[in-house]
Amino acid sequence: MPNRIKDPVNYRLDGTEPTGKVEFEKFLQKMTDVPESEPLNSIPINEVGITNQQVYVTIDDLSDPKTKTPVLCDVSLGVDLSDHRGIHMSRCEEALFEISRGTYTDLDEFALALAERLREKQSSSLGIVKVSGIHLHHRQTKKTARSSHDKVILLSEAIASENGHIQQTGVTAFNMTACPCTRTYTKLSVIPRLKEMGFDTEQVNKILGTVLTGTHTQRGTITVMIDKKHPEISAREILKVLDQTTHLVNELLKRPDEHDLVIRALQKPQFTEDVVRDVAKGLFEKFGNLTPLNTRIIVESILNDSIHIHDVRSKITTTLGRIGDALKS
């Protein structure tokens, strides 16, 4: 019997099969290891593995790095495949639960450790891991400094190979926007009425500069992914950029906090286009001097529009260098 069978399922007896109990058990074990057999054709596969698997991963808390916190994660993991018919799915599970027993600085450290272990177990040239974890981030509200437990989604992708690794880290946070169009229309539409009331142009300008006119607002998500080419590129620092460039929402808001958030949104209304551009600019200002300019970034804003049935989406896929060039022009 040859070392590798091309199609074990359709194997035809040739009379050389062992008949002894021990020998036949070995024969059966070999024949039923179908993943180890030759592929039915030689087309290589870029990625094969498991997805929609959940596991708890213990990492440093975003608010207090001295505290370890469990994060419930969705994990996809796979390897490349060329000269075997399939992979051993059980080895994916073994790698996942071995690595998940440890404690880590962040999901990036976990994802890379898992990618390397997976590649080793499957004897593949690449180990590929994608992780998404829900973290309850303790943040103080801006006005009353109350503690709010705000959901953020931590993201990490890692590709491990014998030549090194490639890694991206990211965050999805929840934000709100105020529409600039209606804000402008509402503001300017009162000019005739103010004129009729006897206010001159200078007085009208003072009134319009003081009173914040209304507009429709909506909640959305803002997602960032960036090549992890420097230790300071982390979920914690990305969140700081998002807090500075967008209007992040909180689970807990007292009335002064609600008022503050709405006022800030009205003072700086944003389209989704404004959100992704502002975030991209903030990422360049934060990381542009730390990491190579060919560092890739993805910024995506999705808003659950409040006056339409559809949602609104904007996305930038670029490098820090291209952002810098655009800001100079």
Side-chain angles (χ1 to χ4, degrees):
M1 190 177 109
N3 288 332
R4 295 183 72 197
I5 304 298
K6 181 142 189 173
D7 188 4
V9 176
N10 295 307
Y11 176 78
R12 292 178 61 84
L13 298 178
D14 60 10
T16 64
E17 295 78 20
T19 56
K21 182 176 180 181
V22 175
E23 291 77 11
F24 186 79
E25 285 294 332
K26 292 179 180 178
F27 166 78
L28 187 62
Q29 181 69 25
K30 186 177 184 63
M31 288 298 297
T32 54
D33 190 0
V34 179
E36 198 69 21
S37 64
E38 294 182 24
L40 299 181
N41 68 56
S42 58
I43 298 173
I45 298 175
N46 298 99
E47 184 177 348
V48 57
I50 65 175
T51 190
N52 293 328
Q53 176 60 278
Q54 287 75 43
V55 68
Y56 277 102
V57 181
T58 303
I59 62 171
D60 290 354
D61 188 89
L62 286 181
S63 309
D64 180 10
K66 296 179 181 179
T67 301
K68 294 291 184 179
T69 187
V71 176
L72 180 60
C73 296
D74 283 310
V75 183
S76 294
L77 59 165
V79 295
D80 62 331
L81 188 66
S82 56
D83 62 348
H84 292 85
R85 185 168 176 178
I87 66 168
H88 294 84
M89 292 297 176
S90 62
R91 296 179 190 175
C92 294
E93 294 285 353
E94 288 171 352
L96 176 59
F97 291 112
E98 285 174 15
I99 298 302
S100 65
R101 283 197 289 263
T103 57
Y104 300 91
T105 301
D106 50 31
L107 285 192
D108 301 324
E109 185 181 9
F110 164 78
L112 183 57
L114 179 55
E116 290 174 339
R117 184 68 176 124
L118 183 65
R119 184 178 76 85
E120 175 189 328
K121 272 189 168 292
Q122 297 285 358
S123 300
S124 297
S125 60
L126 295 179
I128 305 161
V129 172
K130 297 179 181 180
V131 186
S132 169
I134 296 175
H135 184 280
L136 295 182
H137 181 34
H138 296 224
R139 286 198 307 142
Q140 285 190 333
T141 58
K142 293 184 181 293
K143 202 68 177 175
T144 65
R146 299 297 182 94
S147 179
S148 179
H149 297 183
D150 301 334
K151 181 173 72 173
V152 297
I153 301 171
L154 306 180
L155 307 168
S156 186
E157 299 183 6
I159 300 176
S161 73
E162 58 188 10
N163 299 318
H165 67 270
I166 300 171
Q167 191 153 28
Q168 283 199 315
T169 188
V171 170
T172 295
F174 296 85
N175 69 310
M176 72 169 287
T177 65
C179 177
C181 290
T182 308
R183 167 87 165 86
T184 303
Y185 190 96
T186 306
K187 176 180 177 179
L188 299 182
S189 67
V190 300
I191 292 176
R193 178 63 179 146
L194 293 174
K195 290 281 191 178
E196 289 174 4
M197 294 172 66
F199 295 104
D200 60 30
T201 299
E202 183 178 352
Q203 290 172 324
V204 169
N205 281 329
K206 285 182 178 180
I207 293 170
L208 296 181
T210 302
V211 178
L212 288 174
T213 51
T215 186
H216 64 97
T217 62
Q218 42 272 319
R219 192 185 72 185
T221 58
I222 177 69
T223 299
V224 169
M225 289 295 290
I226 182 169
D227 287 345
K228 193 176 178 71
K229 294 186 176 182
H230 191 280
E232 286 191 36
I233 297 176
S234 65
R236 187 175 289 106
E237 296 304 315
I238 292 171
L239 270 175
K240 291 178 182 178
V241 173
L242 295 181
D243 197 31
Q244 293 164 359
T245 55
T246 70
H247 308 300
L248 295 184
V249 298
N250 299 96
E251 287 289 2
L252 184 148
L253 289 170
K254 292 297 185 180
R255 281 186 292 274
D257 296 308
E258 292 175 350
H259 174 75
D260 174 68
L261 177 59
V262 171
I263 292 300
R264 284 189 285 111
L266 290 175
Q267 289 175 334
K268 185 185 177 182
Q270 292 173 304
F271 294 129
T272 58
E273 297 92 329
D274 297 319
V275 171
V276 294
R277 285 176 173 142
D278 289 348
V279 171
K281 180 174 181 284
L283 292 170
F284 175 78
E285 293 171 346
K286 182 73 173 180
F287 302 124
N289 293 325
L290 298 178
T291 187
L293 293 179
N294 66 352
T295 297
R296 299 169 300 158
I297 72 160
I298 298 171
V299 183
E300 183 175 23
S301 170
I302 299 176
L303 291 179
N304 308 123
D305 201 287
S306 61
I307 63 169
H308 301 288
I309 297 173
H310 61 258
D311 294 334
V312 188
R313 174 175 174 264
S314 292
K315 185 176 182 178
I316 293 175
T317 301
T318 187
T319 64
L320 288 180
R322 293 196 193 109
I323 295 172
D325 291 340
L327 292 173
K328 293 175 186 175
S329 61

